[in-house]
């Protein structure tokens, strides 16, 4: 089994896809730092991995908080060294049940954009320069089909994910030739707390498990990441299975 000898920061890593990615990457030899707002939840994830003899760390920060970004990066690099991979997984739906745009408060839209777009922008700014100096790095944006399809009541979230994807494309164009690469990954519909919050009366039996999606992404990082053009949009379901 090929190992991933990289330092990786994953936001929103205490549950769902972020948790599954943290587990999968740590078990392939990566030095992982997980970030979430709730310290106890995040520390429990990291501690379980450390019990397996793996290198895993927990940080409690809010990606939507401007003042948290540089302390977060400083703490992460102190733990695992310069970052090789940054995974922007943390996101918020805004209020649930999901409202129509006409019923969406401006402050709620602002919060969604702060967490889902502005936070990743600030965090990439804090990390990508060092990646460029070292001539290597991967920044992964976790997106959604709501970025490309207009679903009623998913307006704030969909707008934020569309902006996040285009942000990745612009980063890719501006940093072409530096060795820093950007991808947006649509994981598909997964059985997560976020999805259940958004669709409280849904049929969850046909949804993908976060662990299965994470396994595909981990294998992609090992075998195919260098072959994909920077700025590309990927669908996890179309990636080669682990």
């Amino acid at each position: 089994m090929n190992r991933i000898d990289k330092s990786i920061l994953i936001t929103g890593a205490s549950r769902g896809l972020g948790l599954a990615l943290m587990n999968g990457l740590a078990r392939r030899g990566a030095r992982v730092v997980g970030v979430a707002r709730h310290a106890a939840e995040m520390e429990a994830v990291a501690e379980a991995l450390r019990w397996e003899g793996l290198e895993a760390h927990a940080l409690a920060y809010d990606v939507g908080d401007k003042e948290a970004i540089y302390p977060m990066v400083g703490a992460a690099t102190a733990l695992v060294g310069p970052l090789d991979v940054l995974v922007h997984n943390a996101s918020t739906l805004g209020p649930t049940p999901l409202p129509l745009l006409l019923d969406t408060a401006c402050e709620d839209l602002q919060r969604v954009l702060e967490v889902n777009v502005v936070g990743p922008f600030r965090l990439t700014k804090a990390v990508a320069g060092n990646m460029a100096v070292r001539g290597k790095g991967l920044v992964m944006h976790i997106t959604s089909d709501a970025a490309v399809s207009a679903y009623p009541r998913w307006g704030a979230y969909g707008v934020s994910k569309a902006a996040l994807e285009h942000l990745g494309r612009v980063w890719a164009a501006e940093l072409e030739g530096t060795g820093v690469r950007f991808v947006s990954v649509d994981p598909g519909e997964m059985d997560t707390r976020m999805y259940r919050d958004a669709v409280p009366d849904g049929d969850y039996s046909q949804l993908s498990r976060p662990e299965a999606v994470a396994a595909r992404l981990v294998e992609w990082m090992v075998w195919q990441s260098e072959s994909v053009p920077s700025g590309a949009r990927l669908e996890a379901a179309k990636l080669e299975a682990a």
Side-chain angles (χ1 to χ4, degrees), residues 209-239:
R209 296 294 304 161
E211 296 80 7
V213 175
R216 287 177 177 269
L217 293 182
V218 170
E219 291 303 302
W220 174 83
M221 285 187 192
V222 173
W223 300 108
Q224 302 176 53
S225 64
E226 297 297 327
S227 66
V228 174
S230 183
R233 184 185 198 275
L234 307 175
E235 295 180 27
K238 296 180 180 179
L239 299 178

Side-chain angles (χ1 to χ4, degrees), residues 75-143:
T77 55
L79 290 166
V80 297
L83 296 173
D84 301 302
V85 179
L86 172 60
V87 181
H88 291 299
N89 175 69
S91 62
T92 181
L93 293 167
T96 55
L98 296 176
L100 297 170
L101 279 178
L102 279 174
D103 299 322
T104 299
C106 296
E107 293 79 6
D108 291 332
L109 175 61
Q110 182 177 359
R111 172 61 181 171
V112 171
L113 294 175
E114 281 285 340
V115 174
N116 297 4
V117 184
V118 181
F121 169 69
R122 290 172 176 147
L123 187 49
T124 298
K125 278 190 66 178
V127 170
N130 182 270
M131 288 180 170
V133 168
R134 292 184 293 124
K136 61 178 183 178
L138 174 66
V139 179
M140 178 183 290
H141 293 146
I142 302 299
T143 184

Side-chain angles (χ1 to χ4, degrees), residues 147-232:
V148 294
S149 298
Y151 299 120
R153 299 183 183 275
W154 288 78
Y157 183 78
V159 165
S160 73
K161 290 299 184 179
L164 183 69
E165 287 191 16
H166 197 61
L167 183 64
R169 289 189 287 269
V170 175
W171 277 122
E174 292 187 347
L175 293 179
E176 182 178 4
T178 65
V180 186
R181 305 176 64 256
F182 295 80
V183 294
S184 293
V185 177
D186 178 359
E189 293 185 338
M190 298 179 292
D191 187 5
T192 62
R193 184 184 301 183
M194 175 178 282
Y195 187 88
R196 289 178 181 243
D197 287 343
V199 189
D201 56 352
D203 177 8
Y204 311 123
S205 62
Q206 301 303 311
L207 301 178
S208 298
R209 296 294 304 161
E211 296 80 7
V213 175
R216 287 177 177 269
L217 293 182
V218 170
E219 291 303 302
W220 174 83
M221 285 187 192
V222 173
W223 300 108
Q224 302 176 53
S225 64
E226 297 297 327
S227 66
V228 174
S230 183

